[in-house]
Amino acid sequence: MSDVDVKIKGWCKNYPGDRPPRFLRAFLLLFLAKEEAHGYELIEKLKEMGVKYETYEFGYVYKTLRNMEKEGLLTSRWNVKEKGAAKRIYRITEKGMKNLDEWAGVLMNIKDSIESFLEAYWKIKDKENSK
């Protein structure tokens, strides 16, 4: 379904803090930068990359999409041409693309911070193991 090749590890289940960080907006923007889609397609793309939403949590994804639309990051239209119920199709806006750029910068900073943390951690572990 998705040719945006992103996979994440299941860190959410074993996160040692109060709650794991949520990057739902970043991923939704990433998918919509590739192509417009309706909500369920976006949820399926999230599942493909390792983010699992239970049926009762779908509302959170749809609420996030609506909030992003209110903020001008997305636009939507109803698709009534296909068989079945009408589906709201989402498309990223120019403002949404700028927000995606900001997310990329934030995630790069997080990546650098994690690499720095792990480098310091392994130095401590190597020192501990050499005793």
Side-chain angles (χ1 to χ4, degrees), residues 26-27 29 32 39 45-48 59 65 83 97 125:
F27 287 117
L29 290 168
L32 292 169
K45 289 178 183 186
L46 288 165
K47 286 180 182 178
E48 286 175 12
L65 288 165
K83 291 182 181 179
M97 286 300 296
K125 291 302 282 184

Side-chain angles (χ1 to χ4, degrees), residues 78-96:
W78 286 102
N79 181 355
V80 293
K81 295 177 183 176
E82 294 179 19
K83 291 182 181 179
K87 296 175 183 169
R88 187 179 292 268
I89 305 295
Y90 294 92
R91 173 180 284 166
I92 194 168
T93 64
E94 186 176 321
K95 184 176 180 182

Side-chain angles (χ1 to χ4, degrees), residues 65-80:
L65 288 165
R66 286 191 303 276
N67 287 338
M68 292 171 70
E69 186 174 13
K70 286 178 188 172
E71 295 169 24
L73 304 176
L74 309 175
T75 60
S76 70
R77 62 179 168 75
W78 286 102
N79 181 355
V80 293

